[in-house]
């Protein structure tokens, strides 16, 4: 199955383009527009694909990148309760201290019960936060904004399971959205001030003479430089620079009394360095832009390294160029993505249709491309969890491995079942209660076909070829025959139910797991 799921890019007898020159408009058609919508977002309807194809590459990429021009409800801090998890008031501290001194177990137990109740309420808010973000990914007219928020969530990975403060997770999610295609320098500067990150990597316990190395280590190893581009001494000195960086309630606080203000030597930079100086030292390393360019390449283009010289050499060349672009623009992300999304390399046949969809891409993409009913967000979130991507709960500070790690026997079973649920309302056991009221109608998918060829929607062969082209994006002739047989066995009729049945077969194919 893995061979079918991820065709060997290097074994096709095709020389992969390393060109970052803009793709000529004449070479940008339906397939390329579809590819752009999936990679820079979560897919699109046939009409949206055709619109981008008619616009050409430059206008299409500008539309996706310059999403601030597209009106959309702004997220408000008041959307979620910031005071569920809060430090005790001075009065509460005094009452609790008095109760403990006087061995007033009833009062102590009352305080403990209140804390436990707040923790339960916070877990409920965390669930609402998951529902809110998934709904936003599905509904947003600015898909790249949410796709990049998802990228940073996996890059600067923190989990509610450790933090246990839903509002801090919300604040961090907002931080990623604010800097989605913005300045990586500013984002890295804000990360060392982010309460969720500080708590996750224990920097709130870091003080002069007892520096905690977790944040300093992960900033260099996973967030900015990569292994081999710093020393253990850089970690120790970076940890000293970050002492005193903590938070109180929802706000970053620099505790000067806990900060080590002695001389430090980090990545060739010396002096009484603090956290900002540490970030500057990191950004001055060429390895930083290369590391971020590599992470962007893996997220938007292809796995790297693969072990195949052809593919890896091409990727290495492109990453080097993207890294240089990032430095020219002083770590601005938008110009890097613009260069990538316009490039001939991005639309090379060896790139299109070669990435395994993440659970978020699979679920959100089904709604945004097939226009399935959303049905129940909780069911979709549970499926994403079983498929290995529980948003706000990445498995470790490394985030999700992605790629082939998304696919195994159990996740393929869930992938097929969740598409069946979205298309029909059928669950592994029983049906969604609203299945009949929210019956899926696939007729809209055929509207562009009807507009180009009035009689085509009555021709099973034309409809099948069109659906395969739209849903899979790449030739799948070996998949056509059983689909043709399915329609033929039903009298070559093309009713909505039969087209839905064909879509059930298509979405169960290994090729549908790719984008």
């Amino acid at each position: 199955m893995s061979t079918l799921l991820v065709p060997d890019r290097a074994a096709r007898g095709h020389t992969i383009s390393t060109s970052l020159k803009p793709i000529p408009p004449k070479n940008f058609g339906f397939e390329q527009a579809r590819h752009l919508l999936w990679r820079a977002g979560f897919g699109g309807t046939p009409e949206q694909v055709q619109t981008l194809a008619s616009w050409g590459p430059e206008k299409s990429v500008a539309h996706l990148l310059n999403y601030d021009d597209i009106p959309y409800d702004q997220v408000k801090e008041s959307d979620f309760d910031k005071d569920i998890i809060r430090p005790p008031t001075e009065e509460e501290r005094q009452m609790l201290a008095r109760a403990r001194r006087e061995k007033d177990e009833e009062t102590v137990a009352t305080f403990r019960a209140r804390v436990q109740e707040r923790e339960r309420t916070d877990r409920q808010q965390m669930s609402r936060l998951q529902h809110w973000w998934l709904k936003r990914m599905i509904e947003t007219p600015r898909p790249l904004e949410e796709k990049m928020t998802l990228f940073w969530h996996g890059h600067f990975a923190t989990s509610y399971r450790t933090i246990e403060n839903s509002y801090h997770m919300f604040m961090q999610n907002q931080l990623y959205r604010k800097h989605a295609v913005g300045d990586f320098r500013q984002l890295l500067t804000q990360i060392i001030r982010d309460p969720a990150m500080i708590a996750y990597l224990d920097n709130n316990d870091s003080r002069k003479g007892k520096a905690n190395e977790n944040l300093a280590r992960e900033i260099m190893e996973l967030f900015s430089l990569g292994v081999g581009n710093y020393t253990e001494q850089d970690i120790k000195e970076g940890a000293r620079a970050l002492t005193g960086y903590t938070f109180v309630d929802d706000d970053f606080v620099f505790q000067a009394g806990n900060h080590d203000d002695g001389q430090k030597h980090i990545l060739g930079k010396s002096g009484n360095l603090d956290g900002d100086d540490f970030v500057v030292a990191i950004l001055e390393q060429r390895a930083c832009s290369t590391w971020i360019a590599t992470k962007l390449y893996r997220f938007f283009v292809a796995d790297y390294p693969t072990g195949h010289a052809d593919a890896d050499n091409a990727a290495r060349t492109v990453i080097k160029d993207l890294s240089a672009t990032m430095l020219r623009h002083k770590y601005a992300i938008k110009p890097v993505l613009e260069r990538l999304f316009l490039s001939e390399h991005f639309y090379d046949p060896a790139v299109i249709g070669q990435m395994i969809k993440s659970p978020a891409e699979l679920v959100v993409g089904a709604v945004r491309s097939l226009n399935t009913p959303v049905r129940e967000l909780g069911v979709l979130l549970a499926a994403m969890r079983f498929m290995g991507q529980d948003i706000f709960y990445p498995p470790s500070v490394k985030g999700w491995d992605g790629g082939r790690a998304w696919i195994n026997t159990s996740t393929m079973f869930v992938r097929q079942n969740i598409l069946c649920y979205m298309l029909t309302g059928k669950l592994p056991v029983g049906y969604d209660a609203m299945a009949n009221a929210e019956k899926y109608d696939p007729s809209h998918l055929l509207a562009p076909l009807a507009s180009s060829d009035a009689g085509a929607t009555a021709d099973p062969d034309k409809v099948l070829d069109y659906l395969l082209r739209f849903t899979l994006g790449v030739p799948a002739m070996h998949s056509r025959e059983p689909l043709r047989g399915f329609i033929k066995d039903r009298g070559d009729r093309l009713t909505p139910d039969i087209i839905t049945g064909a879509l059930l077969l298509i979405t169960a194919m290994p090729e549908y797991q790719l984008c």
Side-chain angles (χ1 to χ4, degrees):
M1 178 173 286
S2 62
T3 303
L4 182 59
L5 273 171
V6 189
D8 187 343
R9 297 192 299 149
R12 290 178 162 192
H14 168 77
T15 301
I16 303 172
S17 170
T18 60
S19 171
L20 281 167
K21 293 191 300 184
I23 182 174
K26 64 182 177 63
N27 294 340
F28 187 87
F30 185 92
E31 183 181 42
Q32 289 73 28
R34 178 189 180 279
H35 172 68
L36 177 61
L37 281 170
W38 272 104
R39 296 294 181 87
F42 301 92
T45 64
E47 289 89 348
Q48 290 168 337
V49 174
Q50 285 198 334
T51 296
L52 263 63
S54 68
W55 282 353
E58 189 172 334
K59 183 178 178 180
S60 297
V61 170
H63 173 75
L64 290 166
L65 275 172
N66 300 321
Y67 52 72
D68 284 338
D69 298 336
I70 302 172
Y72 191 46
D73 290 342
Q74 294 302 304
V75 184
K76 300 183 291 292
E77 291 185 2
S78 59
D79 286 347
F80 294 93
D81 187 349
K82 65 184 182 67
D83 290 324
I84 298 174
I85 302 297
R86 59 169 178 78
T89 65
E90 183 59 32
E91 182 183 6
E92 288 170 335
R93 278 194 291 268
Q94 290 179 3
M95 287 178 61
L96 184 57
R98 187 184 311 117
R100 285 171 173 163
R101 282 196 309 270
E102 297 173 356
K103 298 188 179 346
D104 181 354
E105 295 300 332
E106 183 177 347
T107 299
V108 171
T110 298
F111 270 91
R112 188 178 299 117
R114 289 175 183 171
V115 170
Q116 291 171 345
E117 177 59 30
R118 286 201 296 270
E119 290 171 346
R120 283 192 293 272
T121 302
D122 195 64
R123 288 192 291 273
Q124 292 168 359
Q125 177 159 277
M126 188 66 245
S127 177
R128 291 200 301 275
L129 184 57
Q130 287 185 302
H131 283 68
W132 166 83
W133 192 19
L134 179 58
K135 185 172 184 285
R136 190 174 179 87
M137 284 190 268
I138 289 170
E139 295 180 352
T140 180
R142 298 150 62 150
L144 183 59
E145 181 179 43
E146 297 308 316
K147 193 72 174 279
M148 282 301 297
T149 303
L150 186 63
F151 169 78
W152 292 124
H153 177 42
H155 179 77
F156 294 110
T158 56
S159 172
Y160 174 76
R161 191 168 283 108
T162 297
I163 294 164
E164 296 184 329
N165 187 317
S166 61
Y167 195 74
H168 288 182
M169 296 301 292
F170 170 63
M171 289 169 58
Q172 187 184 75
N173 187 260
Q174 278 290 80
L175 177 67
Y176 298 153
R177 187 170 290 104
K178 177 181 178 181
H179 295 283
V181 296
D183 187 335
F184 178 73
R185 297 175 305 171
Q186 293 180 13
L187 180 53
L188 194 58
T189 299
Q190 291 303 309
I191 277 295
I192 63 174
R193 292 168 165 79
D194 175 56
M197 184 62 74
I198 289 171
Y200 189 63
L201 294 176
D202 306 308
N203 211 69
N204 46 332
D205 297 327
S206 189
R207 53 187 51 84
K208 183 177 181 178
K210 197 177 179 181
N212 187 295
E213 297 179 3
N214 289 354
L215 182 55
R217 180 182 298 277
E218 303 307 352
I219 278 180
M220 289 191 285
E221 178 179 335
L222 296 175
F223 301 163
S224 62
L225 296 177
V227 174
N229 294 302
Y230 58 89
T231 67
E232 285 296 312
Q233 189 60 30
D234 289 323
I235 293 172
K236 295 181 185 300
E237 297 288 86
R240 291 177 59 210
L242 290 169
T243 51
Y245 279 61
T246 186
F247 64 94
V248 174
D249 199 4
D250 302 322
D251 299 316
F252 168 75
V253 172
F254 175 67
Q255 296 177 337
N258 284 331
H259 178 65
D260 185 337
D261 58 2
Q263 286 288 111
K264 308 171 191 74
H265 308 278
I266 309 173
L267 299 166
K269 195 177 185 67
S270 299
N272 176 16
L273 308 179
D274 61 11
D276 289 338
D277 298 318
F278 182 26
V279 168
V280 170
I282 288 171
L283 294 169
E284 288 176 351
Q285 309 300 306
R286 180 60 189 259
C288 182
S289 62
T290 300
W291 182 253
I292 301 305
T294 301
K295 293 292 291 283
L296 289 169
Y297 186 89
R298 288 172 178 160
F299 189 78
F300 286 109
V301 185
D303 282 345
Y304 169 79
T306 63
H308 297 295
D310 228 16
D312 290 347
N313 288 339
R316 195 175 299 114
T317 299
V318 171
I319 289 168
K320 183 178 179 180
D321 190 295
L322 296 177
S323 172
T325 301
M326 192 178 301
L327 289 179
R328 279 197 307 274
H329 292 275
K330 299 179 180 179
Y331 282 98
I333 299 299
K334 185 185 287 188
V336 179
L337 295 180
E338 180 180 36
R339 185 161 174 79
L340 177 62
F341 293 156
L342 286 173
S343 71
E344 292 180 323
H345 175 77
F346 184 70
Y347 299 99
D348 190 281
V351 169
I352 293 177
Q354 301 301 305
M355 289 190 73
I356 297 174
K357 295 172 185 171
S358 69
E361 288 170 326
L362 182 76
V363 168
V364 176
V367 181
R368 293 185 68 103
S369 62
L370 302 177
N371 200 24
T372 69
V374 174
R375 303 198 187 278
E376 173 53 52
L377 287 169
V379 174
L380 303 187
L381 286 164
M384 288 169 59
R385 182 170 67 252
F386 290 132
M387 290 185 284
Q389 191 171 34
D390 196 4
I391 52 176
F392 294 108
Y393 293 85
S396 73
V397 70
K398 287 176 59 181
W400 293 279
D401 290 333
R404 291 176 183 268
W406 293 130
I407 298 295
N408 57 49
T409 304
S410 62
T411 60
M412 278 298 293
F413 177 76
V414 180
R415 281 171 174 257
Q416 292 168 358
N417 277 343
I418 196 60
L419 264 298
C420 178
Y421 168 73
M422 298 168 81
L423 288 166
T424 68
K426 180 174 174 54
L427 293 159
V429 178
Y431 272 87
D432 173 33
M434 295 294 291
N436 289 330
E438 296 182 333
K439 188 174 176 62
Y440 176 61
D441 183 359
S443 303
H444 68 281
L445 292 181
L446 303 182
L449 179 63
S451 65
S452 63
D453 184 346
T457 55
D459 185 327
D461 289 303
K462 289 183 178 180
V463 168
L464 189 55
D465 289 342
Y466 169 81
L467 288 177
L468 285 170
R469 183 188 183 205
F470 170 65
T471 55
L472 304 185
V474 291
M477 296 311 295
H478 63 279
S479 305
R480 191 184 187 284
E481 187 175 342
L483 286 167
R484 187 66 187 89
F486 170 81
I487 295 175
K488 187 174 182 180
D489 289 346
R490 284 148 184 82
D492 271 347
R493 292 176 298 121
L494 292 171
T495 66
D497 284 346
I498 290 173
I499 294 172
T500 299
L503 287 172
L504 283 168
L505 294 174
I506 291 171
T507 56
M509 293 177 182
E511 292 90 345
Y512 187 75
Q513 311 309 316
L514 301 170
C515 67

